Structures are given as C-alpha cells and as structure tokens.
Amino acid sequence: MLNLLKIMVLLCLMVACSDDESNFPFGTKVNEVKISASTKDTIINVLVGNAKVPIYLAVPDNCTNPSFPAVVVLHGSGGMWKNDDPSSGEMSSQFKEWRDILASNCIVGAFVDSYSGRGVTERTGKWTKAPDNFRISAQFVRPADANAALEQLKQLKFSDGSLVVRAADIGILGFSDGGTALAATLYDTETTPNGWEWTQSFDGKDYDKASGVLPPAPKPKEGFAGGVFYYGGSSGFGYWGTNACNDDANVANIYFPYAPILYQIPEKGYLTDTNLCMYTLLKDKGANVELIEYQNVGHGFDTDENSQSQEARQNTINWFKEILHMN
C-alpha cells in the first residue's frame, strides 16, 4: 500500500526547550518539499514560532490520481510516536493504521507532532497544569501547528513540479487532546465579539494574556474543508466562555466553527456530556455539525478492537469522501 522505502528528512527533529518557556509566537515558515516517485513517506520539520514541528507526510502509492485530497491528523495526549521516540521516525500503531486507511483511499496523510519540538513527550504531570500546559495548549498553540501543516500540504510537489494536494480538499482529524485542538483550529475568528478577552481557569485560578494565554490562530484565507472530532474536550477551560451545558451558553459561549465538523462520540466517554451539549448548542446556532454516538464504548475507543471502532473509522472515511469531493 505504501512504499516502505523511507527517506527521512530529519532536520533537528528533537528540539529541546527550556522549562520556563511557556508560550510561543505564531510565525510560521513552510518550505517547498518535493516527493520523488520512489519516496512516499517523509518527515519534514515546519517552524512554528520557535518550535520545529515534525510532520510525517504519507503520500498514497498505487493511486493514479494527478492530485490528491489530504487529511491533517492531530494526536492525543500520548503523543504520536512508537515508544515515545520521535527519532525513530516510527509512528504508534494507531497512526500507522490511520496512515494505511488514508492511503488505501487515495488520501494524503499529514501527521503533526505538537510535542517533541517543545520538549514534551506526553501530556501528563505538569503538562496538564497551568501555566506549563500553555506550551502545548490545544486552544492556542496546536491550531497553529495544524494550520502550518495545511499550508505545507498546499505547497507539496511531485518531483516534476506538479502539486500533490488539491488545496480546497484538505480535511483535519483529531483524537482526544487532538480533537480539542481540531475544534480550536476550525474556530471562526471572524465571529469573535468585539472586546473579547481570552482567558482560562484551572483549579480555581484565572489566567489571562499576562499569564501566557494567547488569542486563537487566525482563520486561514483558504482553510480546512472540515474535520472529524474524536472524543476531544469542548469546555476550553473557559476559553470560549461559559460551559456549553449552562443555561446561558447560547449567548455566553462564543465557539463557532468555520467548517463542518463530524463529532464521533462514545456513549461512556468522560467528556461526552459536554460534547453533546456543544453539538446541540452549535446546531441551535446554525453550524454545520453532525453527530454519531457509539454505544457501549468509552474514551479512546478508536484503539479498541471492536465493531464500534471499525464502524467509526468507516464513517470517518465516508464523511471525508463527501467533503473532499471524492464521490
């Protein structure tokens, strides 16, 4: 399915960051990357602020398309790499499976590692607590990584100079913390109320711009076609305003996406209640959102060997085929 001969372009893959560095500017530098006929899997690094963000690019083999749709994939709290080792260039089994699923459907995959270039292995311990967690914030850091991958895909070329990816047909897929980041990536910044102050609250303490909370990444001129949200979080720790389940959410929660979202939600997930409230809130506001709830499974069910996981994966591909103009 994929050419297993890999030429890895590892430009300073492991970038150490000092422990007191807690936020990043959003300057982004993408490079022209050419994919040869014999090299279908490549790791590149994109500069986002002062972090070098590795992106694993997987271009389908044995597809005759002159150009491809693409999907940017955002990992969860456990990171993206097998044995937490980005230097190996080998992704965890979950993402290798998704690489193969996308490739078998003639979709380019771009798997974004938001952690290693910022000195983080997993979102555990201090990385779950403010202000340390601001370094890898799903609300205002990881969306910049996703947008950088979006721009990189638009510039990806075959060795003959032709474009690999159709710019209008790029989707995004996120799991757990990556689902949270997906929602933030698709936030329509043009809908932000005048004078809105970006704040978050952790353990009863409020944080604002002076503490390192940043505004969201600006909406791209040509953004994502849509996204599939697997069991992420919808509260934002107050970033979007009041909780989506509160009675005043229709006016006091500002979240609204610029592109369609398919919510893949487990019945027994610990984040499910808030996600269902957010879905209902968005439907009431007129957003283009869909929901599929999977019975008798919990958080992380994508990696479980059960029928719900397989059903959700097929629903994901079917949904992407529609919004990426593949049918």
Side-chain angles (χ1 to χ4, degrees):
M1 185 180 301
L2 289 172
N3 190 323
L4 297 180
L5 176 63
K6 303 173 183 177
I7 300 177
M8 300 301 185
V9 183
L10 299 171
L11 305 176
C12 303
L13 184 60
M14 292 295 288
V15 179
C17 299
S18 62
D19 285 342
D20 60 353
E21 186 178 19
S22 62
N23 54 58
F24 293 81
F26 289 137
T28 300
K29 182 179 180 181
V30 299
N31 301 303
E32 180 177 287
V33 177
K34 290 188 177 180
I35 302 295
S36 73
S38 62
T39 306
K40 298 300 183 180
D41 288 20
T42 303
I43 296 177
I44 63 171
N45 285 273
V46 174
L47 186 65
V48 182
N50 59 353
K52 288 184 178 178
V53 176
I55 301 175
Y56 186 115
L57 296 173
V59 179
D61 213 350
N62 300 321
C63 291
T64 59
N65 308 40
S67 61
F68 296 90
V71 170
V72 171
V73 183
L74 304 182
H75 62 75
S77 298
M80 193 173 82
W81 304 102
K82 182 178 180 180
N83 299 325
D84 298 326
D85 182 11
S87 65
S88 71
E90 185 174 358
M91 293 190 293
S92 69
S93 59
Q94 178 186 18
F95 297 111
K96 285 192 289 187
E97 289 170 6
W98 273 103
R99 176 198 64 187
D100 293 346
I101 291 169
L102 294 173
S104 67
N105 287 278
C106 295
I107 300 172
V108 172
F111 297 78
V112 182
D113 170 18
S114 289
Y115 288 177
S116 67
R118 297 184 169 104
V120 179
T121 302
E122 297 182 351
R123 186 178 175 272
T124 57
K126 74 174 186 176
W127 302 119
T128 65
K129 303 179 185 302
D132 291 304
N133 63 1
F134 294 163
R135 181 183 293 185
I136 54 171
S137 170
Q139 285 75 38
F140 52 82
V141 171
R142 297 193 64 187
D145 298 346
N147 287 335
L150 172 73
E151 296 307 316
Q152 187 68 77
L153 285 169
K154 293 176 183 177
Q155 297 188 33
L156 191 65
K157 296 180 179 180
F158 289 114
S159 54
D160 64 3
S162 62
L163 291 173
V164 176
V165 172
R166 304 192 297 265
D169 293 328
I170 303 175
I172 183 169
L173 169 64
F175 300 89
S176 192
D177 189 64
T180 305
L182 175 149
T185 301
L186 296 183
Y187 171 66
D188 188 351
T189 51
E190 295 176 2
T191 66
T192 305
N194 292 333
W196 183 264
E197 295 186 6
W198 298 101
T199 63
Q200 289 191 302
S201 178
F202 294 87
D203 299 323
K205 183 176 180 180
D206 295 330
Y207 297 84
D208 57 15
K209 181 178 179 180
S211 310
V213 177
L214 300 177
K219 173 186 173 183
K221 184 176 181 180
E222 185 176 21
F224 288 97
V228 178
F229 172 108
Y230 267 84
Y231 44 74
S234 292
S235 73
F237 301 99
Y239 194 71
W240 312 113
T242 191
N243 189 291
C245 294
N246 290 348
D247 291 340
D248 62 348
N250 200 49
V251 293
N253 185 299
I254 68 168
Y255 180 75
F256 194 87
Y258 70 76
I261 298 177
L262 170 62
Y263 284 87
Q264 301 267 56
I265 305 300
E267 177 196 21
K268 298 181 179 180
Y270 69 94
L271 299 171
T272 292
D273 288 347
T274 303
N275 286 330
L276 293 177
C277 288
M278 178 60 80
Y279 167 76
T280 301
L281 177 64
L282 292 176
K283 287 293 286 186
D284 290 345
K285 289 183 175 183
N288 188 350
V289 292
E290 299 177 42
L291 169 71
I292 304 177
E293 186 175 1
Y294 297 88
Q295 303 300 306
N296 301 314
V297 290
H299 189 86
F301 77 96
D302 177 63
T303 59
D304 296 337
E305 295 183 3
N306 55 35
S307 61
Q308 294 92 331
S309 174
Q310 294 305 313
E311 180 185 358
R313 290 182 173 191
Q314 188 59 57
N315 287 336
T316 296
I317 292 300
N318 292 344
W319 193 83
F320 275 133
K321 284 184 175 181
E322 287 292 332
I323 69 164
L324 302 181
H325 304 104
M326 298 177 67
N327 290 333

